[in-house]
Structure formats: structure tokens, C-alpha cells
Amino acid sequence: MGLEAATSGASNRQKIVRRGSHDILQGGWLSIPSRENIEGSYNESFSFENDIQVKYSGFPLVRDMMLSEATRTAALESDGYKQMSYTKSTDGWFRTLFVFEGRAMDRTGWALAIVTLNAIVWTVIAENFLPESNRDALEPYENFFSLVLSTTLAFLLVFRLNRSNIQFWISRERWGSIVALGRSITSGVITHGSHDMNTCYNVIRWMSAFVIATMYFLRGIKKLIPETFAGILTKGEVETLQKARHPPIYAADVTRMYLHELFEITESTPVSVAQYRAQQLIFIEQQLNSLMNDLGAMERIKATPLPLVYVTHLRTWLMLFLLSMPFVWQPSLHYATIPVVFMTAFAMLGLEGAAQEMEAPFTKDRTNHLNMDAYCLLMLSNIQQQITDDANRKKKAAAIATLNFETSKHMRDLIERPPQPDENNFEDSFASIETLDC
């Protein structure tokens, strides 16, 4: 047992130092620590691990989550590094103006290149090789082209963008609901299921695994990263979860199984206790069902893009409009046609790219997609705080109960068996009193 604990401690110390190195590489520290600081961190981590092992020896989930927090956090931060570190829309005008990847130009860059090349070729040919009369043939259609076609396209693009924005917001709302329900289920279980803490912790472990598995499933990633489950599931449990056809459903079913075991009612259960457990089981079951409904809503968003007929019609007219622009505007704009066409195409194709980017925002490598690693980190941090506070309250209550018991026992002993006066002490006291009287 001692060797196993020592090995575990060494492993965790190594992970903590590795985490520190990760911060140095990512620019988290302003300077590289000295040798003395590194040796001090080893001693600190060893002392920290020992303190946690001793303090929470009766609360295994609290102990495991605290000891594995650095590993778990590093794995989730590394997995979601692109979305966590990239410029945010709230970072100010200048920082958001000079971004490239965040514009999702890879989705429409080829179309922009074709439209611009078409404008260059036609403008050069028209300006150098076509007679003036042929160049002015399409000029009367300029007003019709600008008002009718551009207005129609604007409505189509606005509807497309609005629909994608709704899907993005619903996805974000559902993730917020998952985090909130995770907090609520944890609070309910540790409060009303304290009669069986091992089963209570199993409910919390698999509910947490459900949330992490949901992130992987929505991203379409079949290979789970074991470090993201550190302190929550064992290696064997992660492998079993990975083999499931639908990992979130498997995690939810295991959670439900432990939940039923926690609030199980037998023939020997008192009626009042049975009613209480049945009420709590129904309430927490409803919350678990809500978790699965949130997952189902995001699955529908991922599997149901905008109907093909709409997208095809929009993209066809958009390309025809942009490709025909040089033929209509070149007679009046001449060589200025090229930048005008480029800027118009950049604006309209950018809207189409934004709509496409937000339609199913679950990919890991897209900077504009949901930062699901951060949501998982937030929920796990909340759960760790909840179970740690609960453990501290239980330890304090146990200490107070022990103190009250010892005090009551001591008082009973004093009442039942009062201390007998020592004769020698009594004579000495009497002699001292006589001396004082003299």
C-alpha cells in the first residue's frame, strides 16, 4: 500500500511539473523558473499530495479529483487550445479587424478567387480589345442589376445567416443548460444521498463522464483522451466507454443505474424514508432526462443543416451575380471594376461563409465553434468545489459530534464518579492555611 501511494505521488508530481512546463511553453510565465524554484515546486507538490491524501482519505472522489486536477485541466486546455487562445469578438476593434482564420475564408476563398479573376480578365479585355459601342451595351441594365438582383440576394443571405445564428445560439444555450443541470444534480445527490457516499460518488462520476463524452460525440471523435477523465473514471472505465456505440447514452445509463441503487426502496425501508427517496429519485431522474434532451437537441442541429434546395439556389444566384458584375459595371467604372467586384464578393461571400461556419458549431479545429472544453472545465470545477465543500462540512460536523460526545462522556464521569480528595494534599492545604492565619 505504501509503495503504491509513493508511486502515485511521484506520478502526480511529474504531472504537475509537466503542467508547469506547458505554461512556460504557452507564455503563461514571464520568465523561466530557477533550479531552486523547480526543487521547491517538487517539495510543495509532495506536501500538497500528502495533505490531500490524509485530509480526504474518507472521500475518494474529492481526493482523486483534487490530485488529478492539473492533469485533467492540461488535457482539456490542450484539446481546446485553438478556441481558448484565439481572438474573441469582445477583444476590441483593432484586434478583431486584423484576423484571418476567424473570418472562415477557407470556406469561400476559392469562390472569391474565381470572381476576382473573372473581373480582372474581363476588364483587361474590355478596356484594351473591345470597341466602345460593345462595351456600353449592358450599361442600361446597371440600375436593374443593382436594385433587383442585389436586393433579392440580400434577403436570401440574411435569412441564411439568421437561421445559422439561431442554431449556434440554441447549441450554446443547451451547453449552458448541461452545465447548470450538472451542478443541480451534484447538489441534490450529495445532499439527499449522503446515506451511501460510494454510490453517490458513482452517480457524480458518470454524470461528469456523460458531459465529457457529449463533447467528443458532437465533434465526431471516437478515440477518447484518458487524461480528460483523470480523477473521474479509471482507465478501464474509459476504455469501456470508448467501445460503446453512443458513449453519452452509455454514461447516462450507468448514471441512472447508480441513481436507482442510491435511492433503492426495499421491504424493510420505513414508509417515510421510502416516500422521501421516491421523491428525490423522480426529481433527479427528470434532471437526467433534461441532460439527454439537451444532447438530443444538439444532435438534431448537427444532423439537420438548412435544406439543400435553399442553399443550392442561394449559392447559384450568388455566383451568377458576382460573375456578371464586371460585364455590367465595367463601362462606367473601367479599371475600378476590379476592386469594386472584389470588395462586393468579399462582403457577400463572407456572409455565406459565416452562415456555414455557425450552422453546426461543434468542430474542435474551428476558432468560431463552441468552446466545449471550457464548458467541461467549468462544470468539473464546479463539481469539485461542491463535493469538496460537502466533505469539509461533513468533517466539521463529525468533529463537532465527536467533541460533544467526549464532553458529555467526561461530564457523566464527573457526575457518576466525582474525584476523591487526596489526604496528603488536604493536610498540606490545611497547614498552609494555618501558616497564613499566623
Side-chain angles (χ1 to χ4, degrees):
M1 180 69 180
L3 178 61
E4 183 180 352
T7 306
S8 174
S11 174
N12 284 319
R13 287 199 303 277
Q14 189 177 10
K15 289 174 182 174
I16 290 173
V17 172
R18 209 176 283 147
R19 169 80 178 114
S21 303
H22 174 78
D23 283 346
I24 293 171
L25 292 175
Q26 300 300 340
W29 291 347
L30 296 178
S31 60
I32 298 177
S34 63
R35 180 182 179 84
E36 290 78 7
N37 288 337
I38 293 177
E39 290 175 351
S41 69
Y42 270 104
N43 295 330
E44 268 185 37
S45 74
F46 182 76
S47 174
F48 170 77
E49 290 169 11
N50 281 346
D51 290 345
I52 296 301
Q53 291 278 8
V54 173
K55 185 176 181 180
Y56 297 106
S57 58
F59 303 91
L61 183 58
V62 179
R63 179 196 62 211
D64 293 344
M65 288 194 72
M66 292 185 74
L67 290 177
S68 304
E69 183 178 10
T71 301
R72 188 173 58 251
T73 301
L76 287 168
E77 285 181 350
S78 175
D79 192 51
Y81 175 73
K82 178 169 286 189
Q83 291 159 348
M84 290 183 184
S85 61
Y86 203 74
T87 303
K88 304 293 185 296
S89 60
T90 55
D91 287 344
W93 269 83
F94 289 101
R95 289 194 64 184
T96 54
L97 280 175
F98 300 104
V99 295
F100 178 77
E101 187 177 2
R103 295 181 184 274
M105 291 300 298
D106 58 316
R107 296 188 181 274
T108 57
W110 63 270
L112 180 62
I114 291 173
V115 169
T116 305
L117 182 62
N118 174 70
I120 294 172
V121 171
W122 172 254
T123 303
V124 171
I125 292 174
E127 289 293 328
N128 294 281
F129 303 105
L130 291 183
E132 189 74 24
S133 57
N134 290 340
R135 281 188 281 162
D136 297 339
L138 294 175
E139 192 170 1
Y141 296 97
E142 185 175 339
N143 292 333
F144 170 81
F145 185 84
S146 301
L147 292 175
V148 178
L149 294 183
S150 61
T151 303
T152 304
L153 274 175
F155 279 116
L156 290 173
L157 282 170
V158 167
F159 177 80
R160 164 98 161 112
L161 189 62
N162 186 56
R163 170 66 183 271
S164 297
N165 182 60
I166 290 173
Q167 293 192 199
F168 182 90
W169 177 246
I170 290 175
S171 302
R172 178 61 185 92
E173 193 176 39
R174 293 294 182 167
W175 263 106
S177 174
I178 286 175
V179 173
L181 286 169
R183 298 167 181 165
S184 182
I185 291 174
T186 302
S187 178
V189 167
I190 61 178
T191 302
H192 305 294
S194 57
H195 57 278
D196 185 356
M197 288 307 297
N198 286 333
T199 307
C200 171
Y201 282 158
N202 283 332
V203 172
I204 296 172
R205 286 193 314 113
W206 282 99
M207 187 269 298
S208 303
F210 167 85
V211 177
I212 303 173
T214 295
M215 174 185 71
Y216 284 114
F217 183 77
L218 291 172
R219 286 175 172 171
I221 298 175
K222 297 184 181 296
K223 184 174 176 57
L224 307 180
I225 301 175
E227 287 77 13
T228 56
F229 295 89
I232 300 169
L233 299 183
T234 64
K235 185 177 180 181
E237 289 171 334
V238 174
E239 291 175 355
T240 304
L241 181 64
Q242 182 174 288
K243 292 176 183 176
R245 181 177 298 180
H246 196 299
I249 290 181
Y250 177 84
D253 289 343
V254 177
T255 304
R256 200 181 301 273
M257 179 191 70
Y258 281 119
L259 194 60
H260 179 268
E261 182 181 332
L262 181 63
F263 295 106
E264 185 178 8
I265 299 172
T266 63
E267 293 180 357
S268 61
T269 306
V271 176
S272 59
V273 175
Q275 290 177 343
Y276 177 78
R277 288 185 181 179
Q279 290 175 352
Q280 296 305 321
L281 178 61
I282 292 171
F283 181 69
I284 298 177
E285 281 267 13
Q286 290 174 346
Q287 293 178 319
L288 185 59
N289 291 337
S290 297
L291 275 178
M292 297 189 71
N293 289 338
D294 290 332
L295 168 62
M298 289 187 284
E299 284 183 281
R300 287 192 297 273
I301 288 174
K302 183 180 179 181
T304 314
L306 201 63
L308 179 62
V309 61
Y310 186 91
V311 176
T312 301
H313 185 71
L314 169 63
R315 290 175 179 171
T316 301
W317 272 105
L318 181 59
M319 287 303 293
L320 288 175
F321 173 78
L322 295 174
L323 290 172
S324 60
M325 281 178 64
F327 303 101
V328 177
W329 286 354
Q330 181 274 328
S332 57
L333 297 179
H334 303 287
Y335 279 104
T337 302
I338 297 172
V340 169
V341 169
F342 174 80
M343 288 186 291
T344 305
F346 180 80
M348 290 191 166
L349 291 172
L351 291 176
E352 165 59 20
Q356 189 179 352
E357 182 85 346
M358 295 189 300
E359 197 167 19
F362 305 117
T363 307
K364 181 178 75 171
D365 297 325
R366 307 298 300 187
T367 58
N368 293 293
H369 284 195
L370 293 177
N371 191 358
M372 294 187 285
D373 293 277
Y375 306 153
C376 291
L377 275 174
L378 174 63
M379 198 204 72
L380 294 174
S381 174
N382 294 154
I383 289 175
Q384 182 175 323
Q385 175 188 329
Q386 288 175 291
I387 61 176
T388 303
D389 291 343
D390 176 71
N392 291 335
R393 286 192 297 267
K394 285 182 169 61
K395 285 171 62 66
K396 183 177 179 181
I400 293 174
T402 303
L403 179 62
N404 290 339
F405 175 77
E406 294 294 336
T407 303
S408 300
K409 182 180 178 183
H410 182 65
M411 292 299 295
R412 283 198 306 271
D413 290 343
L414 288 177
I415 293 171
E416 294 173 1
R417 296 186 298 275
Q420 300 297 324
D422 191 345
E423 294 181 359
N424 295 329
N425 291 340
F426 179 77
E427 290 176 357
D428 292 341
S429 301
F430 185 75
S432 61
I433 291 173
E434 287 182 342
T435 304
L436 288 174
D437 290 338
C438 294

